[in-house]
Amino acid sequence: MGLLLSKNPSKIVLLSYFLNPMVPKKVNNNHYVKKVNNNMVSLVARTGMHLQRYDSVGTKKVNNDIVSPVARTGRHLQRYNTVGTVGYRQVVGCIPYRYRKTNKSVELEVLVISSQKGKGMLFPKGGWEMDEDKKAAALRETFEEAGVRGVVEDELGMWIYKSKRCDTMHHAYMFPLLVNEQLDLWPEQNIRQRKWMTATEAREVCQQGWMKEALDKLIGDQ
């Protein structure tokens, strides 16, 4: 079958085609042929996201083998717990930690991140959603906000706090996360900074009192 290429690089025109001209035909994994006028077809790129692949930890499949991190958005799966007449948003988070060897000893370090508004530092946390258990949600939030993965350990406890931004009450469940992987790319890398520091340093810069209590619990357990 002969081909005549258009001078326009954005469109390749075929002078003939095979089988039923009314039915689009797959040329390769990326393009299909489409009828143009009476007897000419044009290569067109796939459009839409109805066949888009996603994995379970918030990474998007691109070009079959390139992975780009994405964060969950929206609150349609958000969990709430009603106590009396008050609705408490359910939140989970982690204190990522590791051990750093020094000349004299092994020192505990924790990872803190900046808030979205850039005022103060905190530990990664976010909404616990209905399609995941607490540990899975805590691991996801830590990946999205801090770009680390690891082993989520036993729950440190539950704290009640009131959001300063939206005047909402929260139940917050915090977990230690022993980090075994730190990623160069993560969903919120453009809006957050992250920094490893000693537990003493983290306690000084952490802007949430209840998070300081969770850190004290982690130190006590260690």
Side-chain angles (χ1 to χ4, degrees), residues 91-152:
V91 168
V92 292
C94 287
I95 300 180
Y97 76 95
R98 69 184 182 186
Y99 293 102
R100 184 174 65 89
K101 292 182 179 180
T102 65
N103 293 333
K104 298 181 179 180
S105 63
V106 176
E107 189 173 44
L108 175 73
E109 289 186 324
V110 295
L111 183 67
V112 294
I113 60 173
S114 62
S115 66
Q116 287 188 351
K117 293 185 177 181
K119 297 180 180 180
M121 306 293 283
L122 42 77
F123 297 112
K125 64 162 178 60
W128 173 20
E129 300 192 347
M130 291 183 289
D131 64 338
E132 51 191 359
D133 61 34
K134 280 190 288 188
K135 284 190 174 182
L139 181 61
R140 173 183 56 77
E141 287 291 342
T142 304
F143 159 70
E144 291 179 357
E145 295 188 351
V148 293
R149 294 193 179 107
V151 179
V152 180

